[in-house]
Amino acid sequence: MGSSSTYSVVLNLSFLVFIFFLGSSFASFSSSSLSSSSLHPLVFNSKVQHLNYTAISEFRVVNRRFLAECPHLSPYLQISINSTTSGLGDEEFLSVNVSGVLNPSKDDWVAMISPSHSDVSSCPLNEILYAQTGDLSKLSLLCHYPVKAAYMSNDPDYLSCKKKECKKYRNGQCLVSTCGGALSFHVINIRTDIEFVLFSGGFEAPCILKRSSPVRFATPNKPLYGHLSSIDSTGTSIRLTWVSGDQKPQQVQYGDGKKQTSQVTTFSQDDMQSSALPSPAKDFGWHDPGFIHTAVMTGLKPLSSFSYRYGSDSVGWSNEIQFRTPPAGGSDELKFLAFGDMGKAPRDGSTEHYIQPGSLSVIQAMADEINSGHVDSIFHIGDISYATGFLVEWDFFLHQISPVASRVSYMTAIGNHERDYIDTGSVYITPDSGGESGVPYETYFPMPTPAKDKPWYSIEQASVHITVISTEHDWSQNSEQYQWMRRDMASVDRSKTPWLIFMGHRPMYTSAEGLLSVDPKFVFEVEPLLLQSKVDLVLFGHVHNYERTCSVYKSQCKGLPVKDKNGIDTYDHSNYSAPVHAVIGMAGFTLDKFPTGVNNPWSLSRISQFGYLRGYATKKEMKLEFVNADTRKVEDRFRITKASTSN
């Protein structure tokens, strides 16, 4: 049997060949990872460099433009922000006002820059750095990537000049009048000061018109974005991780007067990876992450509610938050939610480098479930934030998941957009992490893994044993991870935890088309182990839809569900035949449609809607439901039953 390291070498050679041919064929190159909109011809000048992006659009390559001088600058031009003198709050919708515009254009736009001292002019010293990328003339527009941007035409009164001001009179007559407009930006506390820059020329050929004054956050050291995770199967301890601008240890205070002091870590630009092609994380996508604090709350009771707050007297405290501990392994009932491929989306009308449009509705639907008390834990199986080297977007993601991740255990698996990068040890040599190579992910989401960059683990909650793997690390039969999987699943006590769920990122089965949607090598190496271990349910993401299989092995249905009295598909695992697989990568990223005319016999349910999987397990059965996040309706449901808890 071949190893996955050999497979990586083959992929690496293929990648180098791909780069070579790209220079002559980029204009005709297309794939599902590229933007569906056409690209401006100037993008062609940066064709090779953009292999280090996970998608291409006009905005995503704005820093690769020529910096032109804006002609006919208005002497009346102003850009201002409605902030208070004390600074920005932790979250607000900031009004950015532009006035004194002589000729409003549909190509006028505003960028939010952080930190404010970032150079948004040309970068002559970067010519050497980028010469290897194919950009051989004047290279950069923005030496630092915008956090977000919006066209002034988002204000419907801008182009029509309804906000007209007279700037020059003669004999009571207005000789010069100007136009203006306003944009609303959703701003969260990212610790570094921000500035807004007015451009013209669109994203394709921009030039600077005006910069605002810098504005600072009132409390840049404020402890924020706390999220919970389990450290073991007892339900008596839970980890809290949060972000602050201060490196001094802080505390979590919880329960009846208990407290724990945080351990503090961070990562630097030097920890990011690059190659012959500069990565966003190493270069213009870098943003200082502040300091990541983590503390373990101990002495808790399983399946119980507690309150906590975190911070210190010197930097301030979070609000008091109510959270629920998960059930202990070996108990009966577990209520959980699971999904993959969420990411984040702006809450304003702005453009970001990578937007996952379904993420907001999915988070809101899950938050409502948590508020109703019907969730014990959450599992997010890969493609977490889609920051992909634009580090400030981790803050926006952590802010987005706070309503759920601060309330219940939020467990994760690593995906290609967290880990994969060339020559860093990942199985796949795509640049999908943008140079992050798993470092931010493992810092923000510490899981009970055996060691750094070994992101596999297992945990038991109530009647379920959950094995979580990395599809991005070596899974071949001679690998450390494979041997761990084998031992872990062989050790499951089915009298204590009768259900075995296997989770990872890349799937073994999908009807969707796409390059590397399914890796036959991964299936060949790992699928027999799932059958041998009598895995009941396999959950994967990566493909952005929902699909459920029969009890499947080697693409053959070994067992079919039968309808119970309520018409629900029911798999009887008292007479085990093979695992049931479900792809659940529909939590945010733009959905993958199912191809017409493709009817795989193992595929029983296919839905291309945003949502999540809702699970309820007892020692006798597991009930699973796909919930449409927009309608809140259950669009697929199935049961797995077992009359006996023996092996």
Side-chain angles (χ1 to χ4, degrees), residues 349-614:
S350 67
T351 297
E352 297 174 356
H353 87 278
Y354 219 4
I355 294 174
Q356 291 71 50
S359 58
L360 294 179
S361 63
V362 171
I363 278 291
Q364 185 58 58
M366 293 194 300
D368 290 345
E369 291 220 26
I370 288 172
N371 291 336
S372 69
H374 294 157
V375 180
D376 299 326
S377 61
I378 288 176
F379 293 88
H380 184 167
I381 53 174
D383 285 4
I384 307 297
S385 73
Y386 285 95
T388 60
F390 298 91
L391 276 303
V392 72
E393 302 210 356
W394 278 104
D395 285 284
F396 280 88
F397 175 76
L398 294 172
H399 172 270
Q400 179 177 283
I401 66 170
S402 288
V404 300
S406 65
R407 303 284 306 282
V408 297
S409 174
Y410 193 97
M411 307 301 290
T412 59
I414 201 167
N416 55 301
H417 286 295
E418 288 75 59
R419 182 60 183 84
D420 291 2
Y421 200 72
I422 302 98
D423 295 329
T424 61
S426 54
V427 173
Y428 306 97
I429 50 80
T430 69
D432 286 354
S433 76
E436 293 183 8
S437 304
V439 173
Y441 163 76
E442 288 197 303
T443 308
Y444 287 122
F445 290 95
M447 294 291 116
T449 60
K452 183 179 180 180
D453 202 30
K454 296 180 181 181
W456 49 84
Y457 64 94
S458 67
I459 197 162
E460 292 183 345
Q461 295 184 347
S463 51
V464 184
H465 181 101
I466 300 149
T467 300
V468 181
I469 71 152
S470 168
T471 57
E472 313 312 302
H473 290 74
D474 192 352
W475 28 249
S476 62
Q477 292 189 19
N478 292 325
S479 69
E480 179 182 356
Q481 181 177 202
Y482 183 93
Q483 295 304 319
W484 174 86
M485 286 188 279
R486 181 183 58 79
R487 292 192 304 270
D488 177 73
M489 292 189 287
S491 69
V492 177
D493 182 351
R494 291 299 183 100
S495 65
K496 177 184 175 185
T497 51
W499 303 112
L500 176 53
I501 300 179
F502 186 88
M503 296 184 185
H505 185 58
R506 295 177 187 257
M508 294 183 177
Y509 294 92
T510 176
S511 296
E513 299 173 333
L515 180 66
L516 288 181
S517 290
V518 172
D519 182 352
K521 176 72 171 176
F522 173 57
V523 179
F524 177 79
E525 295 276 350
V526 178
E527 189 181 27
L529 183 59
L530 304 186
L531 184 72
Q532 175 187 327
S533 304
K534 294 186 177 180
V535 170
D536 295 289
L537 179 64
V538 181
L539 299 178
F540 289 123
H542 193 58
V543 177
H544 308 127
N545 53 36
Y546 170 84
E547 186 167 19
R548 170 171 61 90
T549 73
C550 59
S551 297
V552 63
Y553 182 66
K554 293 187 175 180
S555 298
Q556 300 293 318
C557 284
K558 300 300 182 180
L560 289 169
V562 298
K563 301 288 186 184
D564 67 8
K565 62 182 179 180
N566 297 314
I568 300 173
D569 278 0
T570 302
Y571 301 80
D572 184 3
H573 279 199
S574 299
N575 186 20
Y576 181 84
S577 57
V580 179
H581 289 246
V583 171
I584 54 171
M586 67 284 130
F589 196 95
T590 301
L591 294 165
D592 292 325
K593 301 299 182 183
F594 290 100
T596 57
V598 177
N599 295 300
N600 293 303
W602 42 260
S603 178
L604 302 186
S605 179
R606 296 185 290 181
I607 301 169
S608 184
Q609 298 289 339
F610 293 119
Y612 52 93
L613 187 72
R614 176 195 292 152

Side-chain angles (χ1 to χ4, degrees), residues 307-365:
S307 64
Y308 69 90
R309 68 171 188 165
Y310 55 93
S312 70
D313 291 338
S314 61
V315 301
W317 294 90
S318 71
N319 294 329
E320 191 169 278
I321 302 167
Q322 295 288 324
F323 77 102
R324 180 180 176 87
T325 53
S331 58
D332 191 20
E333 294 185 357
L334 172 65
K335 294 173 285 188
F336 68 95
L337 307 178
F339 57 88
D341 305 77
M342 173 175 278
K344 72 269 164 290
R347 296 178 184 269
D348 49 29
S350 67
T351 297
E352 297 174 356
H353 87 278
Y354 219 4
I355 294 174
Q356 291 71 50
S359 58
L360 294 179
S361 63
V362 171
I363 278 291
Q364 185 58 58

Side-chain angles (χ1 to χ4, degrees), residues 112-118 143-147 188-195 217 220 225 243-245 266-270 272 279-292 387 389-396 436 440 444:
M112 174 178 159
I113 307 293
S114 184
S116 65
H117 61 263
S118 300
C143 304
H144 191 85
Y145 203 81
V147 176
I188 65 168
N189 190 341
I190 55 175
R191 299 167 300 282
T192 53
D193 55 1
I194 63 174
E195 185 177 29
F217 289 96
Y225 317 136
V243 180
S244 170
T266 189
F267 54 90
S268 72
Q269 206 163 356
D270 290 338
M272 304 296 99
S279 72
K282 192 79 169 180
D283 189 47
F284 47 83
W286 171 256
H287 181 264
D288 192 297
F291 298 93
I292 293 85
F390 298 91
L391 276 303
V392 72
E393 302 210 356
W394 278 104
D395 285 284
F396 280 88
E436 293 183 8
Y444 287 122

Side-chain angles (χ1 to χ4, degrees), residues 86-105:
S86 61
L88 296 172
D90 295 332
E91 179 184 16
E92 57 182 275
F93 283 86
L94 199 61
S95 179
V96 178
N97 303 291
V98 172
S99 61
V101 179
L102 290 173
N103 298 296
S105 167

Side-chain angles (χ1 to χ4, degrees), residues 4-308:
S4 62
S5 59
T6 302
Y7 189 56
S8 294
V9 171
V10 174
L11 280 176
N12 201 15
L13 291 173
S14 301
F15 183 75
L16 293 174
V17 172
F18 175 61
I19 291 177
F20 176 80
F21 283 109
L22 189 68
S24 59
S25 61
F26 184 83
S28 61
F29 178 78
S30 64
S31 80
S32 60
S33 68
L34 299 185
S35 171
S36 59
S37 62
S38 60
L39 298 176
H40 189 276
L42 285 176
V43 178
F44 187 81
N45 293 333
S46 299
K47 54 186 176 289
V48 178
Q49 192 270 342
H50 298 310
L51 288 174
N52 270 21
Y53 290 83
T54 51
I56 297 177
S57 67
E58 300 290 7
F59 178 66
R60 293 205 70 192
V61 296
V62 70
N63 66 306
R64 311 302 305 132
R65 304 293 186 220
F66 297 98
L67 183 68
E69 291 294 332
C70 281
H72 312 302
L73 288 177
S74 167
Y76 311 105
L77 198 59
Q78 296 292 329
I79 180 169
S80 60
I81 308 166
N82 67 335
S83 64
T84 63
T85 56
S86 61
L88 296 172
D90 295 332
E91 179 184 16
E92 57 182 275
F93 283 86
L94 199 61
S95 179
V96 178
N97 303 291
V98 172
S99 61
V101 179
L102 290 173
N103 298 296
S105 167
K106 64 179 179 60
D107 292 326
D108 297 342
W109 58 284
V110 173
M112 174 178 159
I113 307 293
S114 184
S116 65
H117 61 263
S118 300
D119 190 353
V120 291
S121 59
S122 61
C123 291
L125 296 180
N126 280 4
E127 291 196 37
I128 297 174
L129 175 64
Y130 286 112
Q132 61 191 311
T133 71
D135 287 341
L136 301 177
S137 57
K138 294 182 190 247
L139 300 173
S140 298
L141 165 65
L142 307 184
C143 304
H144 191 85
Y145 203 81
V147 176
K148 54 174 64 182
Y151 276 99
M152 286 301 304
S153 57
N154 286 2
D155 181 344
D157 296 335
Y158 182 70
L159 294 179
S160 60
C161 199
K162 289 185 178 179
K163 300 172 183 176
K164 186 176 292 187
E165 295 179 287
C166 187
K167 296 295 185 180
K168 187 175 182 180
Y169 291 90
R170 179 181 295 171
N171 299 326
Q173 298 293 318
C174 183
L175 295 181
V176 179
S177 62
T178 62
C179 308
L183 297 173
S184 179
F185 283 87
H186 177 235
V187 178
I188 65 168
N189 190 341
I190 55 175
R191 299 167 300 282
T192 53
D193 55 1
I194 63 174
E195 185 177 29
F196 291 89
V197 183
L198 176 64
F199 293 88
S200 193
F203 296 155
E204 297 84 0
C207 58
I208 296 177
L209 290 171
K210 194 75 173 178
R211 299 180 70 144
S212 75
S213 298
V215 59
R216 299 178 180 277
F217 289 96
T219 55
N221 292 336
K222 182 79 173 289
L224 294 165
Y225 317 136
H227 48 285
L228 303 167
S229 59
S230 296
I231 66 166
D232 56 30
S233 302
T234 66
T236 61
S237 299
I238 197 159
R239 182 186 301 276
L240 176 68
T241 304
W242 68 94
V243 180
S244 170
D246 187 36
Q247 64 179 328
K248 297 184 183 68
Q250 299 171 19
Q251 285 187 346
V252 56
Q253 298 177 346
Y254 64 100
D256 188 15
K258 296 178 181 179
K259 59 185 178 182
Q260 298 288 345
T261 300
S262 67
Q263 294 181 329
V264 188
T265 188
T266 189
F267 54 90
S268 72
Q269 206 163 356
D270 290 338
D271 296 317
M272 304 296 99
Q273 299 297 316
S274 196
S275 64
L277 310 176
S279 72
K282 192 79 169 180
D283 189 47
F284 47 83
W286 171 256
H287 181 264
D288 192 297
F291 298 93
I292 293 85
H293 294 248
T294 183
V296 176
M297 293 181 277
T298 60
L300 306 173
K301 293 182 180 179
L303 213 58
S304 301
S305 294
F306 298 86
S307 64
Y308 69 90

